C-alpha cells in the first residue's frame, strides 16, 4: 500500500490540484457572467511554460523552486487521500513544518532574483502566513488534544470508525474557524495579497518564467490541494461517508471509491470557498491580519478552550 | 587521565597562552589552538568513563570534589568543541585588533571555568568556577569599550545578583545539612520540608534564570551579545548562557529530585507550571521583538533568549521525552546560534564592520561559505525538517501535547512562526537580493573562518538526519536522573504515541528532489541573467541600492510596535536611575563642615538612647 | 477551433500550448488600452481563449503594444521585449505603431516600430474594436501553425541590425546586448 501511495498520491494531488485551479477559474468566470476558460486550461499553461526558454539568476534561484516543489510533494505523502497514505512519521507536527518548505523555497528563490517586487511579495507572504498560522495552530492543537494523538492517519481512522463525517461535536467550532481561514491558506481573493498582480507585479514570482513558472504553477496546484485536503481529512472524515462502503469492506473497490468520495468532498469545499473568492475585493495586509487575528482566532480559541476543559 | 590533570591543563594552558603572547604572536595563536584542540581530545576520551576525584581536601572544612558522568560529559564536550571552533575562528577575525593576549587568555579561562562548573561535584567548586566565569565574561564583553562598557556593567550587575542568590542558597544548604556534596545532598534533601525545597528552588532559579535569560531576568543579554567581539558572542550564546540550563538540571533533578519537584505547589499553581509558563513567555515575546531589530547580532541575541524558553519548557515537565527535548535543544541551539554568529562575523570582517541589516545585501555570491552557514543556521533555528532544530523541537511539542498543555504548545509553535519571519529577514537582508556596487570586491572569507562554519553546517545536517547520535548520550543522562529511557534508534525516536524517523523523510525528500531536479534539468536550459536585467517595468535598474530591506515587515511593525517594548529593561533602568538618585542624595550629607558631622553623631546617639530607654534592647 | 484535435497536440504540444495559452503583457502606451478592459472582462471574455494578462514579461509570451510609441517609451518597450522568454510574439495594436497614425509627423513618435523590435502582426484601426483583437489572435494562431510567427528568431538572427537601429536612436544603451554582438559585423553595417 505504501509503495503504491508513494507513486499514486503525488500524481492524484498534482492532477486534482491543476483541475482545481482550472475549476476555480471557470467558476469565477461563471459568477462574473463570463464563459471562462476550459477546465483543463492550467495544463495548457504548464505545457506552454515548459516549452519556453526561462531565465535564471544563479543556482540558488533554481534551488529555491526545486526545494519548494519537492517539499510540497513530500507534504502530499503525509495526507491520507481516502485510504491512501505513504508517510506518517512525525505526525501533524511534521506536517506543519513541511508546509513551510513550499513558501520558504519560493521565498529563497524570489529573493535570490534580487527584485524588490519579489521581496515585498515575500514579506507580505510571511506576514499573511503568520496571520493565518495563529488560528491554524489553535485549530490543529484542538484536534490533536481532542483525539490525543499527533498522527494524521490515526485522526482519520478514528473518524472513520464512527462512520460519521465529523466524529465529535467538540470539533465543530474549530472546523468553522478553519473554514474562515481557508481562503487565506489557499491565497484566494480576499487574501490574494502575496501575488498582487496590479501592485507588485505578482510578487515573489515576478522573475519566474519558463520552467520556473511551470514549477511554480505545479507547486501552487499542490498547495491548493493540500489546503483543502487537510480540511477534509481533519473535519470531514477523509474518505468515509456515513459507512456507505461498509458492505464492500475488504475489496479493492473500497480504496478506489474512498478516493472518489474524498475528491468529491474536496470539490464541495472548493465550491463554497470560490463563492467568497469571486465577490470579494482584496484586503490590505493590515486588514487581513486584523481580520484573521480577530474572528477566526477568537472562534478557534473558544474551540480549544472547550476541548481542553473537556479533556 | 584524571580530572585534575584536565583542569590543570585548561587553566595552566590559559596562563601559558597569555605569557607566550608576550614572546611572539604566532606562538600564542598556536598555543591557543593546540590547547583548545587538546582539551577536546581529552574530554572526548572520557566518553562513558565515569570518574570522580577529590580536588582539594579541607577547604574551610569542606572537600572540593570533581566528578565526570554522562551529563557532565555531554556539556563538557559541547563546551570545549565550540570553544575550539571559536578560537580557530578568532585567528582570522581578531587579526587586526589590539590586546589579543588578553582576549585569548580570557577566552581560554572562560573555557576552563565552564569545564570546572560542569565537572564540579560540590557546590563550593561550582560557585567558585561560576564566579570566575562571570567575571571573565564581564571583561570580554567590555573588550570593545564604548557601548560595550555599558553592556558589561549591565551584565555584571545582574550576574552578581544571581551569584548572591546562589551564595544564600549554598549557605542555607550548608547550615541545614552540613555538606555541599551534590550526590550526598540529593539523598538528604528528601527529608526536607516542601517549603524549604521551594525556597531552595526559587533562590537557585533566580541565579540560573539570570544566566539563561528567562523572561523577566533577560535584560543583560541583548546588549552583551551585541557588543562583545563576535567569536566571543558565539561562545557566550552557545554554551555560556546555557550554563543556566545545566544549573537547572543539577538543582531540579540532581539535588532536589524530580519526584519532589513535581509535588511542589497546590491547585493550579505549581513550581513546574510556573516555570513552563515563564518559558512560554520567554519564547513568544523575544521572538517578536527580534523581528524589529536592525542589527544582525541583536536580532540573533533576541533569538538566543527566545530559544532558551524551549529548553526551559522541555525540562519543566519532567518527563523523559521533554528532558530529551530540552537537553538536545541546548546542544542544537548552540550549534546553530554559534554558526549564525560566525556567519555574521564573516560578513562583518569582509565589509569592515557593517552588520546593519538595512545597508547590506546580495552577499551570497561573494561569500558562499558564510552564506551556507547563514542558510543552514536559520534553517536549524526555524527547525526545518532534516536540520537538527527540528528534532528537539518536535520532542518538546510532543511532550506538551501528550501532557495536555495545548496552550503552552501554542506558545511554542507560535514562537517558531515568529522566528521564521525574523530570520528570513536576517538572511534576505544580509545575503540575498541585489549586491551594492561597493561590495562587489569585498575581502574573501579566510580559511580559519571557513573551517568552523563548514564543520558546524555539517553538524546541523548530521544531527538532523541522525538524531540518534546525541540522543543516545541524552538517554543515559535521563537514566541517571531516574527517568525511563526513551526508545531511541539512529534515525529518531520510537515511542508509544507516534514515531519520528528522519530516514523516511530524508529518503522521500532525496528521491522526490532527484525527480524534480531531473525534470528541471531535462527541460529547456535557462539563460543566466545579471542582477541589473531585472524586471522594473522597462526602466533601468538603479545600481547603488535596489533592495527592499528597510522596515521589511512595515505593516506589521506599525501594528505591534507599541506593544513590544522591553518593559523589564525599562523597569530595571528606572530602578537603576532611582538608586542613582538616592545615592546621590545620600552623598550630600557629606558637606565638608565639621559641625554637621558632630550634629549627626549627636542625633544618632540621641536616637540610640531613646531606643534604649523605650524598649531597652541593648 | 482546433483545440480539440488530439493529433495536432501529439505532434507538437509546445506549439499548441502556446496558441491556447497567451499570457499577455499589455504595454499601455496610449489610448489603445481603453479597448483592452472590455475584451478581457465580461462582455467579450478573452479568457475563454486562454488569454490572460500577466504582470511581468518573464511570464508572458504575447506582447501587445497598444497605441502610439514615443521615443521615450520605445526604450521600455525594447527592454520589456528582451526580458520575455522565447518563444514570444509581438502584436502592435492600432494605427499608430504601424506608421505613426495621426501623429505621423510628430518629432517624438516612432513611425515604424518594426525597425526596433520584430512585430509578428498588426491590428489596424483607430481604435480596433475587441472583435478585431480576437480576429488578430486567430490570425496569430494561423501564423504559429505555419511557423510564420518567427519574430523572436528574426530578432536573434538580425540582432546586430536591430541593436544598431536602437543605438542610432539613443546613442549608448543602458544595458548590455542581449545576444553577443561581434565588432566586425557592426562595422559592416
Amino acid at each position: 500500500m505504501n509503495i503504491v501511495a508513494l507513486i499514486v498520491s503525488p500524481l492524484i494531488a498534482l492532477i486534482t490540484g491543476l483541475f482545481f485551479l482550472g475549476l476555480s477559474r471557470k467558476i469565477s468566470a461563471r459568477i462574473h457572467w463570463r464563459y471562462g476558460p476550459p477546465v483543463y486550461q492550467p495544463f495548457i499553461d504548464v505545457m506552454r511554460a515548459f516549452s519556453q526558454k526561462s531565465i535564471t539568476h544563479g543556482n540558488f534561484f533554481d534551488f529555491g523552486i526545486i526545494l519548494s516543489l519537492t517539499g510540497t510533494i513530500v507534504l502530499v505523502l503525509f495526507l491520507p487521500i481516502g485510504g491512501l497514505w505513504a508517510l506518517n512519521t512525525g505526525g501533524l507536527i511534521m506536517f506543519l513544518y513541511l508546509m513551510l518548505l513550499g513558501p520558504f523555497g519560493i521565498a529563497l528563490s524570489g529573493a535570490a532574483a534580487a527584485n524588490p517586487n519579489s521581496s515585498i511579495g515575500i514579506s507580505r507572504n510571511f506576514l499573511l502566513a503568520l496571520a493565518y498560522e495563529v488560528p491554524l495552530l489553535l485549530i490543529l492543537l484542538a484536534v490533536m488534544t481532542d483525539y490525543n494523538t499527533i498522527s494524521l492517519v490515526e485522526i482519520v481512522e478514528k473518524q472513520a470508525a464512527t462512520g460519521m463525517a465529523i466524529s465529535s461535536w467538540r470539533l465543530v467550532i474549530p472546523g468553522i474557524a478553519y473554514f474562515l481561514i481557508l481562503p487565506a491558506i489557499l491565497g484566494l481573493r480576499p487574501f490574494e495579497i502575496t501575488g498582487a498582480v496590479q501592485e507588485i507585479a505578482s510578487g515573489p514570482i515576478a522573475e519566474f518564467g519558463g520552467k520556473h513558472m511551470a514549477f511554480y504553477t505545479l507547486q501552487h496546484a499542490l498547495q491548493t490541494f493540500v489546503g483543502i485536503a487537510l480540511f477534509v481529512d481533519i473535519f470531514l472524515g477523509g474518505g468515509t461517508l456515513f459507512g456507505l462502503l461498509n458492505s464492500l469492506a475488504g475489496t479493492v473497490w473500497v480504496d478506489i471509491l474512498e478516493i472518489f468520495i474524498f475528491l468529491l468532498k474536496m470539490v464541495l469545499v472548493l465550491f463554497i470557498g470560490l463563492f467568497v473568492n469571486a465577490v470579494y475585493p482584496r484586503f490590505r495586509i493590515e486588514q487581513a491580519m486584523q481580520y484573521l487575528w480577530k474572528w477566526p482566532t477568537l472562534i478557534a480559541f473558544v474551540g480549544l478552550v472547550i476541548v481542553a476543559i473537556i479533556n | 587521565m584524571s580530572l585534575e590533570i584536565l583542569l590543570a591543563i585548561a587553566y595552566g594552558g590559559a596562563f601559558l597562552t597569555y605569557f607566550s603572547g608576550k614572546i611572539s604572536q604566532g606562538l600564542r595563536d598556536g598555543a591557543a589552538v593546540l590547547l583548545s584542540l587538546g582539551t577536546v581530545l581529552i574530554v572526548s576520551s572520557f566518553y562513558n568513563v565515569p570518574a570522580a576525584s577529590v580536588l582539594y581536601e579541607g577547604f574551610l572544612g569542606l572537600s572540593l570534589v570533581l566528578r565526570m558522568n554522562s551529563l557532565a560529559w555531554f556539556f563538557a564536550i559541547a563546551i570545549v568543541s565550540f570553544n575550539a571552533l571559536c578560537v580557530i575562528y578568532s585567528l582570522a577575525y581578531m587579526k587586526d585588533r589590539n590586546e589579543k593576549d588578553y582576549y585569548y587568555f580570557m577566552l581560554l579561562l572562560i573555557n576552563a571555568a565552564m569545564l570546572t562548573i560542569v565537572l564540579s561535584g560540590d557546590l563550593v567548586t561550582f560557585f567558585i568556577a561560576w564566579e570566575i566565569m562571570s567575571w571573565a565574561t564581564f571583561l570580554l564583553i567590555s573588550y570593545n569599550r564604548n557601548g560595550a562598557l555599558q553592556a558589561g556593567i549591565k551584565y555584571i550587575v545582574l550576574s552578581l545578583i544571581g551569584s548572591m542568590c546562589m551564595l544564600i542558597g549554598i549557605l542555607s544548604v550548608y547550615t541545614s545539612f552540613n555538606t555541599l556534596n551534590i550526590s550526598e545532598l540529593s539523598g538528604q534533601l528528601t527529608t526536607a520540608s516542601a517549603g524549604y525545597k521551594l525556597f531552595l528552588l526559587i533562590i537557585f532559579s533566580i541565579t540560573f534564570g539570570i544566566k539563561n535569560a528567562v523572561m523577566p531576568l533577560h535584560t543583560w543579554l541583548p546588549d552583551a551579545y551585541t557588543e562583545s567581539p563576535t567569536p566571543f558572542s558565539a561562545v557566550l550564546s552557545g554554551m555560556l548562557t546555557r550554563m543556566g540550563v545545566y544549573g537547572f538540571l543539577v538543582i531540579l533533578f540532581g539535588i532536589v529530585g524530580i519526584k519532589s519537584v513535581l509535588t511542589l505547589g497546590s491547585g493550579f499553581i505549581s513550581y513546574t507550571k510556573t516555570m513552563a509558563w515563564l518559558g512560554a513567555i520567554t519564547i513568544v515575546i523575544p521572538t517578536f521583538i527580534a523581528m524589529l531589530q536592525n542589527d544582525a547580532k541583536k536580532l540573533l541575541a533576541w533569538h538566543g533568549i527566545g530559544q532558551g524558553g524551549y529548553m526551559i519548557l522541555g525540562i519543566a515537565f519532567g518527563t523523559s521525552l521533554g528532558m530529551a527535548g530540552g537537553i538536545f535543544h541546548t546542544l542544537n541551539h548552540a550549534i546553530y546560534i554559534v554558526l549564525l554568529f560566525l556567519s555574521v562575523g564573516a560578513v562583518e570582517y569582509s565589509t569592515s564592520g557593517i552588520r546593519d541589516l538595512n545597508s547590506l545585501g546580495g552577499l551570497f555570491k561573494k561569500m558562499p561559505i558564510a552564506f551556507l552557514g547563514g542558510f543552514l543556521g536559520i534553517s536549524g533555528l526555524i527547525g526545518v525538517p532534516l536540520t537538527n532544530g527540528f528534532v528537539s523541537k518536535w520532542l518538546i511539542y510532543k511532550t506538551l501535547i501528550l501532557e495536555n498543555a495545548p496552550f503552552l504548545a501554542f506558545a511554542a509553535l507560535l514562537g517558531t512562526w515568529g522566528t521564521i519571519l525574523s530570520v528570513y529577514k536576517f538572511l534576505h537582508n544580509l545575503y540575498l537580493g541585489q549586491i551594492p556596487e561597493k561590495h562587489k570586491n569585498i575581502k574573501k572569507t579566510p580559511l580559519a573562518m571557513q573551517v568552523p562554519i563548514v564543520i558546524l553546517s555539517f553538524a546541523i545536517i548530521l544531527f538532523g538526519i541522525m538524531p540518534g547520535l546525541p540522543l543516545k548520550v541524552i538517554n543515559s543522562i535521563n537514566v541517571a536522573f531516574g527517568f525511563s529511557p526513551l526508545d531511541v534508534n539512529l534515525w529518531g525516536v520510537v515511542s508509544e504515541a507516534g514515531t519520528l524517523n528522519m530516514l523516511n523523510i530524508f529518503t522521500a525528500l532525496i528521491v522526490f528532489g532527484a525527480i524534480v531536479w531531473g525534470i528541471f534539468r531535462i527541460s529547456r536550459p535557462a539563460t543566466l541573467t545579471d542582477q541589473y536585467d531585472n524586471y522594473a517595468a522597462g526602466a533601468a535598474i538603479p545600481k547603488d541600492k535596489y533592495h527592499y530591506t528597510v522596515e521589511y515587515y512595515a505593516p506589521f511593525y506599525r501594528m505591534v510596535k507599541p506593544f513590544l517594548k522591553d518593559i523589564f529593561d525599562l523597569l530595571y533602568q528606572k530602578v537603576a536611575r532611582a538608586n542613582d538618585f538616592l545615592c546621590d542624595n545620600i552623598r550630600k550629607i557629606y558637606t565638608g563642615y565639621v559641625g554637621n558631622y558632630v550634629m549627626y553623631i549627636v542625633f544618632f546617639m540621641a536616637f540610640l538612647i531613646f531606643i534604649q530607654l523605650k524598649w531597652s534592647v541593648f | 477551433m482546433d483545440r480539440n484535435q488530439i493529433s495536432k497536440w501529439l505532434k507538437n504540444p509546445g506549439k499548441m500550448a502556446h496558441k491556447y495559452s497567451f499570457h499577455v503583457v499589455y504595454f499601455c502606451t496610449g489610448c489603445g488600452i481603453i479597448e483592452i478592459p472590455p475584451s478581457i472582462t465580461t462582455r467579450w471574455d478573452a479568457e475563454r481563449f486562454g488569454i490572460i494578462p500577466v504582470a511581468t514579461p518573464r511570464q508572458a509570451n504575447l506582447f501587445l503594444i497598444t497605441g502610439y510609441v514615443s521615443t521615450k517609451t520605445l526604450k521600455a518597450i525594447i527592454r520589456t521585449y528582451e526580458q520575455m522568454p522565447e518563444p514570444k510574439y509581438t502584436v502592435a495594436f492600432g494605427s499608430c505603431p504601424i506608421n505613426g497614425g495621426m501623429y505621423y509627423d510628430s518629432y517624438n513618435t516612432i513611425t515604424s516600430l518594426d525597425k526596433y523590435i520584430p512585430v509578428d502582426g498588426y491590428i489596424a484601426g483607430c481604435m480596433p474594436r475587441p472583435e478585431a483583437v480576437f480576429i488578430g489572435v486567430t490570425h496569430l494562431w494561423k501564423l504559429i501553425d505555419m511557423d510564420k510567427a518567427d519574430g523572436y528568431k528574426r530578432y536573434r538572427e538580425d540582432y546586430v541590425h536591430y541593436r544598431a537601429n536602437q543605438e542610432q536612436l539613443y546613442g549608448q544603451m543602458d544595458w548590455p546586448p542581449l545576444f553577443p554582438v561581434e565588432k566586425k559585423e557592426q562595422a559592416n553595417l
Side-chain angles (χ1 to χ4, degrees):
Chain A
M1 195 64 193
N2 270 358
I3 300 295
V4 177
L6 212 56
I7 301 158
V8 175
S9 63
L11 282 179
I12 291 180
L14 213 56
I15 292 166
T16 322
L18 281 175
F19 265 119
F20 278 4
L21 291 185
L23 204 60
S24 64
R25 276 168 74 175
K26 187 81 181 174
I27 293 168
S28 303
R30 283 307 171 90
I31 293 171
H32 294 161
W33 285 25
R34 288 187 282 126
Y35 182 76
V39 188
Y40 52 83
Q41 182 66 36
F43 289 88
I44 303 179
D45 288 350
V46 169
M47 275 166 69
R48 174 195 65 87
F50 263 122
S51 74
Q52 268 186 302
K53 192 171 168 61
S54 178
I55 59 110
T56 174
H57 284 274
N59 288 334
F60 200 66
F61 183 70
D62 301 342
F63 168 78
I65 188 73
I66 291 174
L67 174 76
S68 167
L69 185 56
T70 312
T72 320
I73 290 175
V74 173
L75 187 60
V76 170
L77 300 180
F78 279 82
L79 276 174
I81 303 173
L84 209 64
W85 53 272
L87 284 174
N88 189 28
T89 160
L92 258 176
I93 300 171
M94 177 70 99
F95 188 84
L96 264 174
Y97 268 87
L98 281 171
M99 260 173 102
L100 194 144
L101 280 185
F104 193 57
I106 300 271
L108 293 177
S109 210
N115 193 326
N117 286 319
S118 305
S119 296
I120 297 170
I122 296 158
S123 131
R124 289 177 175 197
N125 190 15
F126 279 133
L127 284 179
L128 185 64
L130 181 70
Y132 72 68
E133 283 299 338
V134 173
L136 182 63
L137 292 173
L138 288 169
I139 292 162
L140 292 183
L141 282 169
V143 171
M144 286 190 274
T145 314
D146 192 48
Y147 290 112
N148 201 24
T149 176
I150 61 164
S151 158
L152 195 54
V153 175
E154 235 172 277
I155 289 171
V156 174
E157 274 167 3
K158 277 185 180 168
Q159 293 179 50
T162 62
M164 289 281 288
I166 287 182
S167 70
S168 81
W169 58 271
R170 296 182 293 275
L171 292 182
V172 174
I173 296 174
I176 294 169
Y178 193 105
F179 194 75
L180 288 178
I181 62 168
L182 193 60
I185 296 174
L186 301 182
L188 287 179
R189 185 72 43 66
F191 303 102
E192 194 197 30
I193 306 161
T194 305
V197 174
Q198 294 87 341
E199 301 160 32
I200 49 171
S202 64
I205 54 169
E207 283 293 306
F208 286 18
K211 58 182 172 183
H212 295 86
M213 190 61 204
F215 272 46
Y216 171 75
T217 313
L218 295 180
Q219 195 270 340
H220 186 57
L222 285 176
Q223 195 92 343
T224 308
F225 180 87
V226 168
I228 302 173
L230 186 64
F231 181 68
V232 172
D233 264 336
I234 292 181
F235 296 109
L236 300 183
T240 52
L241 196 69
F242 306 109
L244 194 71
L245 303 173
N246 285 353
S247 55
L248 292 168
T251 56
V252 73
W253 291 105
V254 175
D255 296 326
I256 295 169
L257 285 174
E258 270 189 343
I259 294 171
F260 272 102
I261 292 173
F262 185 80
L263 295 181
L264 267 178
K265 284 181 179 176
M266 284 182 69
V267 172
L268 198 71
V269 175
L270 179 74
F271 254 80
I272 302 170
L274 284 176
F275 285 117
V276 181
N277 171 38
V279 295
Y280 266 91
R282 189 159 60 222
F283 276 147
R284 282 205 320 269
I285 182 78
E286 301 101 299
Q287 290 169 326
M289 292 185 86
Q290 274 158 10
Y291 164 75
L292 286 167
W293 282 358
K294 204 184 279 168
W295 295 113
T297 307
L298 200 66
I299 294 171
F301 188 77
V302 169
L304 182 57
V305 168
I306 290 173
V307 169
I309 287 172
I310 285 175
N311 250 6
Chain B
M1 191 169 282
S2 71
L3 296 170
E4 293 101 326
I5 298 178
L6 171 61
L7 287 190
I9 291 173
Y11 281 103
F15 281 98
L16 212 65
T17 310
Y18 180 72
F19 290 115
S20 65
K22 302 287 171 204
I23 302 167
S24 107
Q25 300 242 344
L27 191 66
R28 180 206 52 219
D29 291 356
V33 171
L34 266 184
L35 174 67
S36 48
L37 290 177
T39 42
V40 173
L41 275 181
I42 298 171
V43 170
S44 60
S45 75
F46 276 100
Y47 178 59
N48 260 344
V49 188
S53 58
V54 179
L55 185 66
Y56 182 73
E57 199 77 59
F59 175 82
L60 305 175
L62 294 161
S63 52
L64 305 183
V65 186
L66 295 179
R67 57 104 180 77
M68 175 69 95
N69 54 21
S70 47
L71 177 70
W73 187 81
F74 182 78
F75 274 85
I77 191 73
I79 288 165
V80 291
S81 316
F82 290 121
N83 204 76
L85 291 176
C86 292
V87 166
I88 294 171
Y89 187 87
S90 304
L91 295 183
Y93 182 86
M94 301 298 291
K95 204 162 196 165
D96 310 323
R97 304 291 188 90
N98 302 323
E99 296 177 56
K100 276 183 284 185
D101 299 341
Y102 157 72
Y103 171 82
Y104 282 109
F105 173 54
M106 284 301 158
L107 204 56
L108 294 170
L109 190 65
I110 287 169
N111 185 30
M114 284 199 280
L115 214 51
T116 322
I117 290 174
V118 295
L119 292 181
S120 59
D122 67 313
L123 291 177
V124 177
T125 324
F126 191 93
F127 181 73
I128 295 169
W130 190 271
E131 282 303 284
I132 297 175
M133 179 184 83
S134 298
W135 284 97
T137 308
F138 164 62
L139 293 178
L140 262 192
I141 289 173
S142 322
Y143 177 85
N144 279 345
R145 307 296 150 86
N146 302 335
L149 287 174
Q150 191 64 33
I153 297 280
K154 214 172 181 178
Y155 164 78
I156 199 65
V157 167
L158 274 165
S159 195
L160 277 179
I161 294 171
S163 305
M164 289 309 115
C165 283
M166 178 148 69
L167 198 59
I168 293 168
I170 289 173
L171 288 176
S172 112
V173 168
Y174 184 63
T175 47
S176 316
F177 302 105
N178 216 13
T179 175
L180 287 176
N181 191 311
I182 289 174
S183 51
E184 282 172 30
L185 274 177
S186 65
Q188 295 199 3
L189 251 165
T190 46
T191 57
S193 68
Y196 184 69
K197 281 179 198 160
L198 194 62
F199 158 74
L200 211 60
L201 281 180
I202 289 174
I203 205 107
F204 275 102
S205 294
I206 294 174
T207 313
F208 301 135
I210 286 174
K211 193 55 79 178
N212 196 35
V214 180
M215 191 57 188
L217 309 169
H218 66 278
T219 53
W220 64 272
L221 193 144
D223 289 340
Y225 277 23
T226 316
E227 296 296 341
S228 35
T230 306
F232 180 65
S233 299
V235 173
L236 192 57
S237 61
M239 280 328 269
L240 205 155
T241 310
R242 300 311 155 208
M243 285 295 106
V245 175
Y246 177 80
F248 270 120
L249 289 173
V250 167
I251 189 73
L252 284 179
F253 308 114
I255 295 181
V256 177
I258 180 63
K259 286 202 186 75
S260 320
V261 172
L262 288 179
T263 54
L264 290 176
S266 61
F268 280 110
I269 301 166
S270 70
Y271 176 77
T272 48
K273 259 188 192 154
T274 316
M275 200 168 140
W277 274 105
L278 280 181
I281 292 169
T282 311
I283 291 170
V284 176
I285 297 176
T287 312
F288 280 85
I289 294 180
M291 225 180 283
L292 305 173
Q293 304 305 321
N294 285 326
D295 184 324
K297 275 170 80 175
K298 203 159 222 168
L299 191 147
L300 294 179
W302 279 104
H303 277 299
I305 303 174
Q307 298 294 310
Y310 284 97
M311 300 160 203
I312 299 294
L313 208 49
I315 61 175
F317 271 85
T319 63
S320 52
L321 203 64
M323 281 286 289
I327 300 175
F328 191 22
H329 199 69
T330 312
L331 176 69
N332 287 341
H333 167 74
I335 296 176
Y336 54 66
I337 205 83
V338 168
L339 178 56
L340 284 170
F341 269 114
L342 297 190
S343 173
V344 170
V347 172
E348 228 181 330
Y349 175 83
S350 292
T351 56
S352 41
I354 304 177
R355 52 167 203 264
D356 178 19
L357 287 175
N358 290 343
S359 55
L360 290 167
L363 293 173
F364 75 117
K365 282 178 182 158
K366 297 289 156 192
M367 323 175 57
I369 296 290
F371 170 65
L372 177 79
F375 175 57
L376 286 175
I378 70 153
S379 303
L381 187 54
I382 296 171
V384 174
L386 295 192
T387 57
N388 58 1
F390 174 74
V391 184
S392 48
K393 281 188 177 178
W394 186 87
L395 291 169
I396 293 166
Y397 296 144
K398 202 177 149 190
T399 313
L400 297 175
I401 290 164
L402 292 187
E403 292 293 309
N404 229 335
F407 292 103
L408 288 174
F410 173 66
L413 280 164
L414 184 64
T416 300
W417 261 263
T419 307
I420 297 169
L421 263 74
S422 51
V423 296
Y424 180 76
K425 173 187 165 185
F426 169 83
L427 189 78
H428 172 269
N429 289 13
L430 279 187
Y431 293 110
L432 299 174
Q434 193 194 42
I435 181 163
E437 281 291 313
K438 61 180 173 196
H439 289 152
K440 278 218 160 153
N441 298 312
I442 49 174
K443 276 187 270 183
K444 281 217 168 63
T445 320
L447 188 68
M449 283 177 160
Q450 289 185 2
V451 170
I453 291 178
V454 170
I455 290 174
L456 288 167
S457 306
F458 178 72
I460 282 189
I461 297 289
L462 181 74
F463 290 166
I465 298 169
M466 298 181 187
L469 296 173
L471 277 176
K472 259 177 210 158
V473 184
I474 292 166
N475 228 358
S476 59
I477 298 175
N478 267 350
V479 174
F481 280 143
F483 293 103
S484 57
L486 280 180
D487 197 357
V488 172
N489 60 15
L490 185 60
W491 308 104
V493 185
V494 187
S495 63
E496 62 282 358
T499 59
L500 181 70
N501 189 343
M502 294 315 291
L503 183 64
N504 280 350
I505 310 291
F506 178 63
T507 324
L509 273 173
I510 288 292
V511 167
F512 282 97
I515 293 171
V516 173
W517 183 73
I519 296 172
F520 192 84
R521 282 306 297 271
I522 58 171
S523 43
R524 288 186 76 166
T527 3
L528 188 65
T529 313
D530 188 59
Q531 62 173 351
Y532 296 124
D533 193 19
N534 253 323
Y535 166 73
I541 306 275
K543 297 235 170 181
D544 46 346
K545 185 139 176 69
Y546 192 56
H547 186 26
Y548 179 69
T549 55
V550 182
E551 298 266 297
Y552 193 69
Y553 299 113
F556 185 62
Y557 293 162
R558 281 200 293 276
M559 276 171 68
V560 298
K561 216 164 196 171
F563 306 104
L564 284 183
K565 283 201 194 90
D566 190 356
I567 43 171
F568 293 108
D569 193 36
L570 296 177
L571 181 73
Y572 292 152
Q573 279 179 10
K574 211 171 241 176
V575 170
R577 267 199 301 276
N579 193 24
D580 224 26
F581 179 72
L582 194 70
C583 295
D584 207 43
N585 280 330
I586 288 174
R587 190 175 55 81
K588 282 181 186 155
I589 64 172
Y590 296 107
T591 49
Y593 179 58
V594 182
N596 281 359
Y597 297 154
V598 174
M599 193 180 70
Y600 296 150
I601 292 166
V602 168
F603 272 130
F604 188 63
M605 295 304 283
F607 180 67
L608 287 183
I609 291 165
F610 171 75
I611 286 175
Q612 175 65 9
L613 287 178
K614 187 90 182 161
W615 293 291
S616 56
V617 283
F618 301 116
Chain C
M1 293 255 290
D2 58 359
R3 184 187 271 173
N4 300 324
Q5 289 178 12
I6 294 169
S7 61
K8 273 191 172 180
W9 279 96
L10 291 177
K11 219 193 284 174
N12 198 341
K15 200 171 30 172
M16 289 298 278
H18 265 282
K19 279 168 64 181
Y20 296 111
S21 157
F22 280 135
H23 284 197
V24 193
V25 172
Y26 297 102
F27 205 97
C28 323
T29 50
C31 41
I33 196 61
I34 284 301
E35 293 298 322
I36 296 303
S39 64
I40 59 173
T41 51
T42 311
R43 180 73 192 273
W44 276 282
D45 186 24
E47 202 181 352
R48 64 198 146 126
F49 305 113
I51 301 170
I52 51 168
V54 290
T56 79
R58 302 286 189 205
Q59 304 161 9
N61 63 344
L62 177 61
F63 192 20
L64 207 55
I65 296 149
T66 55
Y68 75 93
V69 180
S70 71
T71 318
K72 198 174 171 187
T73 51
L74 178 66
K75 215 174 198 172
I77 286 177
I78 295 166
R79 185 134 200 167
T80 309
Y81 181 73
E82 289 187 351
Q83 282 177 346
M84 282 169 68
E86 292 176 359
K88 51 193 170 186
Y89 312 106
T90 318
V91 170
F93 178 101
S95 305
C96 301
I98 302 174
N99 58 2
M102 60 192 283
Y103 308 104
Y104 70 97
D105 56 351
S106 164
Y107 68 99
N108 196 24
T109 304
I110 304 299
T111 46
S112 55
L113 182 60
D114 212 3
K115 264 174 76 180
Y116 305 100
I117 59 168
V119 180
D120 290 302
Y122 294 96
I123 303 168
C126 184
M127 304 305 308
R129 284 181 58 80
E131 290 95 331
V133 178
F134 290 131
I135 291 171
V137 169
T138 50
H139 276 290
L140 187 58
W141 285 347
K142 278 180 196 153
L143 287 178
I144 292 173
D145 256 347
M146 293 185 291
D147 282 331
K148 279 187 177 168
D150 56 352
Y152 64 95
K153 287 182 195 157
R154 274 187 281 138
Y155 195 63
R156 198 167 18 173
E157 282 158 16
D158 304 338
Y159 185 66
V160 179
H161 163 73
Y162 282 114
R163 180 85 181 180
N165 279 352
Q166 291 159 10
E167 277 178 357
Q168 192 185 15
L169 194 62
Y170 293 116
Q172 192 59 40
M173 303 287 277
D174 287 345
W175 60 91
L178 184 64
F179 305 109
V181 185
E182 285 175 28
K183 289 259 159 61
K184 199 173 64 184
E185 279 183 80
Q186 220 170 9
N188 289 346
L189 280 164

